[in-house]
Amino acid sequence: MSPIMTAIAKNIKVALLQFYAGANKAENIKKATDFATKALKQHPDLDLLVLPECFNSPYAVDQFRKYSESIPDGETTKALSQFAKEHGVNVIGGSFPELGDDGNVYNTSLSFDKTGKIVAKHRKVHLFDIDIPGKMTFKESSSLHSGNKATVFDLPGLGRFGLAICYDIRFPELAMIASRSGAGIMCYPGAFNTVTGPRFWTKFGVARAIDNQAYVILCSPARNPNGGYQAYGHSMVVDPNGDVVVEAGHNEQIVYAELDPSVEKDARTAIPLSTQRRFDIYHDVSVDAKKGAL
């Protein structure tokens, strides 16, 4: 596969909205649009807004079904779609619990173009089931079902994106599929916690960026001073060379970055990984995905 030099169509101005969710769903949705409005007031020329994982509900396995809603007629979908349309801005809508037609609950991320149209839907593929003795036990699969596809999509005028959620980042195949399908940006709404976050969050962002010579966007909830699941925070953008462009702290805040296509082009030209891979020795994981899984 030859290098794709136009994976990012232009300099993209992006805002990462880092906030925490409370128990009131309507208030959580309003907080999301309030943060989005604030970002646009500070930077009216923004191209893209990115929200955190599970932004309309508490991050708790016993709460996901209670807060779940159908797509596209649920209140969260309607609010994000309307905001994107009214403000003429692209939105990667973090994630929220989706009630599927099959009756199962999924951790789902929606992306919207500037007209408010849904251009991508990703159901979290890898569920967060861990047991760290003496520190943390968490089992998403006790209430959530997993998605079954890699997600790659285009935002008109910006370029091609890959989309995954939180624990998905530990599995490099999704980013590989996106990159080899022409994506120059990989976005992960994620809620790493205060145990796994300090140890792994930045490392995974840097690794996925270097592996695929792509920008990586990580958007986390802020830490909640009222208790419950404590997200790590530290939303960040990593460039195709693995350098952290911007990083939040752990409190509620908005951070901004500009994604420069020349950085991606220079990285891919200087070290042409895409022409040096040895698919005669190891399998290209993107082949099967391109046959219809995207």
Side-chain angles (χ1 to χ4, degrees):
M1 178 179 173
S2 60
I4 300 171
M5 300 304 182
T6 57
I8 302 176
K10 53 165 279 186
N11 283 51
I12 299 172
K13 296 181 179 180
V14 58
L16 281 57
L17 313 183
Q18 180 171 291
F19 59 91
Y20 63 84
N24 187 300
K25 184 177 182 179
E27 290 180 0
N28 293 334
I29 296 171
K30 183 178 184 300
K31 180 183 263 191
T33 57
D34 286 347
F35 266 71
T37 300
K38 181 179 179 181
L40 287 169
K41 285 183 178 179
Q42 293 179 340
H43 295 276
D45 58 347
L46 284 170
D47 299 296
L48 177 65
L49 302 173
V50 182
L51 280 66
E53 181 184 19
C54 212
F55 72 87
N56 77 352
S57 74
Y59 189 71
V61 294
D62 62 349
Q63 297 294 308
F64 291 141
R65 182 168 289 276
K66 174 183 175 182
Y67 287 81
S68 66
E69 61 185 69
S70 59
I71 295 172
D73 56 347
E75 57 266 48
T76 305
T77 305
K78 289 181 178 178
L80 294 183
S81 174
Q82 186 65 26
F83 187 92
K85 182 178 180 180
E86 287 183 358
H87 296 273
V89 65
N90 301 282
V91 176
I92 295 179
S95 80
F96 59 89
E98 174 203 359
L99 181 61
D101 293 339
D102 56 6
N104 293 320
V105 178
Y106 299 87
N107 187 348
T108 300
S109 180
L110 298 179
S111 295
F112 304 82
D113 68 14
K114 294 194 294 185
T115 71
K117 177 184 175 183
I118 297 174
V119 294
K121 175 181 174 180
H122 179 76
R123 288 172 168 172
K124 190 173 186 177
V125 172
H126 303 93
L127 298 183
F128 185 53
D129 288 0
I130 67 161
D131 184 7
I132 304 174
K135 294 183 178 180
M136 165 166 273
T137 298
F138 203 89
K139 191 174 183 180
E140 281 188 329
S141 64
S142 66
S143 60
L144 295 175
H145 275 62
S146 60
N148 61 3
K149 70 179 183 70
T151 303
V152 182
F153 65 99
D154 295 305
L155 282 172
L158 300 188
R160 180 159 287 188
F161 291 71
L163 177 62
I165 299 172
C166 199
Y167 197 53
D168 284 339
I169 199 172
R170 284 182 173 264
F171 304 87
E173 291 83 359
L174 293 182
M176 291 177 186
I177 290 168
S179 176
R180 294 172 199 173
S181 301
I185 303 164
M186 192 71 196
C187 186
Y188 296 94
F192 274 43
N193 55 68
T194 52
V195 176
T196 60
R199 188 171 186 182
F200 297 116
W201 177 255
T202 302
K203 292 176 183 175
F204 282 127
V206 170
R208 298 294 85 82
I210 292 174
D211 284 349
N212 300 287
Q213 297 177 314
Y215 277 97
V216 171
I217 298 172
L218 307 176
C219 192
S220 170
R223 292 187 200 172
N224 186 343
N226 300 314
Y229 182 94
Q230 292 297 314
Y232 178 54
H234 293 269
S235 299
M236 67 175 61
V237 174
V238 185
D239 77 12
N241 295 305
D243 294 323
V244 176
V245 177
V246 66
E247 179 178 357
H250 64 262
N251 295 319
E252 294 189 319
Q253 66 184 110
I254 303 170
V255 292
Y256 304 91
E258 187 165 344
L259 314 186
D260 185 346
S262 69
V263 175
E264 177 192 81
K265 181 177 180 180
D266 290 348
R268 294 183 176 191
T269 301
I271 306 175
L273 299 181
S274 63
T275 62
Q276 296 172 332
R277 292 192 172 96
R278 293 292 306 276
F279 294 136
D280 59 321
I281 298 174
Y282 43 79
H283 181 62
D284 180 357
V285 297
S286 70
V287 171
D288 294 332
K290 292 175 183 176
K291 292 177 181 178
L294 298 181

